[in-house]
Amino acid sequence: MNDAPDVDLDLSSCAREPIHTPGAIQPYGVLLVVDPLSMRVQERAVSQAQVLEDFGDPLDQHLDRVLGGALVPYRRHLDLLAPESTVFLGSVQLGRSGRHHALAHRSETHFIIELEEPVDGEPGSLEDLYPHIRRFMGEVEVAPDIASLCEIGARHVRDLAGFDRTLIYQFDKDWNGAVVAEDRNDRLPSYMDLRFPESDIPAQARELYRRNRVRLIADNDYRAVPLLRSAGLAGAAPTDLSLAVLRSVSPVHLQYMRNMGTGASLSVSLLAEGRLWGLVSCHNQFPRRVPYHVRTACEFIGQILSLQIALKERALAVEERIARRAIQVRLLGRMAGDEDFMAALGRDQKSLLDLTGATGAAIVHRGQCVLLGQTPGQTDVNALVDWLTRHHPAEDVFHTDALPAIWPEAAAFAELASGVMAISISQLHDSFVLWFRAEVMRTVRWGGEPRKAAVDGRLSPRLSFEAWKETVREQSTPWQDVDRDAAIELRTAIVDIVLRKAEEMAELNEQLLRSNKELEAFSYSVSHDLRAPFRHIVGYSELLGSSAADKLTDTEKRFLATIVESAKSAGTLVDDLLSFSQMGRSSMGLVSVDVATLVEDVRRNLVMETGGRSITWSIAPLPRVEADSSMLRLVWQNLLGNAIKFTRDSAEPTIEIGHEDNGSEHVFHVRDNGCGFDMRYVDKLFGVFQRLHHADEFEGTGIGLANVHRIVSRHGGRTWAEGEPGVGATFHFTLPYSQRGTA
């Protein structure tokens, strides 16, 4: 065995090394790279000189003539082989070198054929290993949880492969690994519960594990056999050996094994729904080869283990989502039945906290801040909201489990809120629901100092795997997908309630306006009809008093004076009623409105109406205008809602929002490629209860465009439309620079 090198190896070079194209194999067989068109051998690596002596050099030869024609019976298997797949061809006799296991792989560009030397005493077939597999299957069927599954898998793989130690190694979201199960003898130390940094298995190595489920390194001190190629391929790119069992491995990894005290290793990938979940990692103190059939049995166990892990994770996720949905239903029930729905949200503290598994929450709405559970103070929460508004304005949901790391001011209250999740209710106002998670101080046991490699970039043969403890502070437990999804669903529900309340308010305003108009008409009619009779009563009473003054008694004069006073009082009351009816018209609250922000907020709130369709949006730069913000919101809500609705049957729905400035007014338009309309009926579009499509085709009341026309008119603007059946429609409206509309 070679001595360890005197110079340290650069870990960063491992992350850059093209390990899928090593240009060599481990010395346990023969590898041929075959051109799929000519079926000639373009590259070869042969570990035994005896094979070359018996059959000659296969390089540049047709596959049917190499190795004494041993591969001719398997040509049909190659013809059926799909890209990125592997097939076991069987056992092939190579003269004096004995029988070899033959495997074929199909890459994107080549056939790769491997002939692997057998191992003394190996099983004759996979069937010989069936009792092991059957016992494993019986145990996993009754395993109660993922931890038990991993323990069972580690024990059975070690039993099959005969290694000194077998670990189940799980990746976290940052690709650090943790040992979650272990089965071993006393020859190698325990790694149970240790963590290893992402740099131990860099990205390109993880991709190889994903593509090729099994990797064996039988001896950490092997001498690689180079892959020789045809002279015509001297300048070609190196061949991808990702699928090859005999593929040589990185010198950095071999040194890593020596540091670990590992003479041989076997890895089996665990994939959950296509993603690398972890590894079954086997280590032996001394070199050890694992026969093909045993590796296949281990791979089968790994696949079953992967499926069982994925099933249990999915079942846990479903159970958790059902529980969160029940909590959300309770919250929505409270909110929907309360006029101040945000205040109602705060009256069920337990449900609000349980919805995301938080230890505290805050509701910031209409300038108010409600704190629930363990939270920072109101000043800190308002500062956090201000930071979110400035640095994360476009995010409907923001979350982190290490807030002080990205906002240093949060270190002051890290004990209460190292983790935060926030949903934004409005793009126009600072309205948020925030959840907090307290700091969780914990000690992490690493298999070597995780930051050391990042500092000096080198592996230390003595210290790389000594347990190193790190105390983690200013972090909470991580937010999971189920937490984030629950927050998103709550946000969607709140936005829906806001829209419904706005619609109800708009309907009430319409009813109030209609009632006011009716009252105004009634008041005018009453005043018009009653003023003349009251004047007549006063006039004739005064004439009667003058002409018959000497004939009336004092009592009769007093009666007549009372009639005059009463008539004058009634007349004054009628005049006051008329004045009140004339003043009873509502006024608009004109403010400076950022139309771009308003349109984006309306568009986001209407996302539920897309029905999951992919809509192409084209939005021009939009200005600030002087308008009533609530009324203008209703204009955009109706126009964009109609565009989404009437492009429902379009193959590639497109909605364009445009703006022009003609020097005296802003001209906006909303254009879609939906069902359109016949221009013969354009005059009906903006009338109340006017519809150009049957109610069975598209839902609606026929009031929306009437509201648009009324609001724009009150702002002093104009509305018009253009359309063509089956092509689309364009709706225009204007807003003047100086508001002269009727209030």
Side-chain angles (χ1 to χ4, degrees), residues 164 182 271 441 528 545 560:
D164 293 326
E182 179 182 70
L271 303 178
M441 279 200 307
H528 182 272
L560 192 59

Side-chain angles (χ1 to χ4, degrees), residues 604-661:
R604 286 175 179 273
N605 290 338
L606 290 173
V607 68
M608 294 295 292
E609 297 186 19
T610 64
R613 293 179 294 133
S614 177
I615 296 177
T616 299
W617 292 85
S618 175
I619 304 177
L622 301 174
R624 298 188 73 90
V625 300
E626 186 184 44
D628 185 291
S629 176
S630 298
M631 291 184 179
L632 190 56
R633 172 181 289 274
L634 193 57
V635 169
W636 286 109
Q637 184 175 313
N638 280 308
L639 292 180
L640 298 188
N642 280 349
I644 292 172
K645 177 169 61 178
F646 291 114
T647 56
R648 180 186 300 160
D649 299 326
S650 300
E652 296 180 358
T654 301
I655 299 174
E656 173 187 321
I657 300 172
H659 166 260
E660 293 179 9
D661 188 337

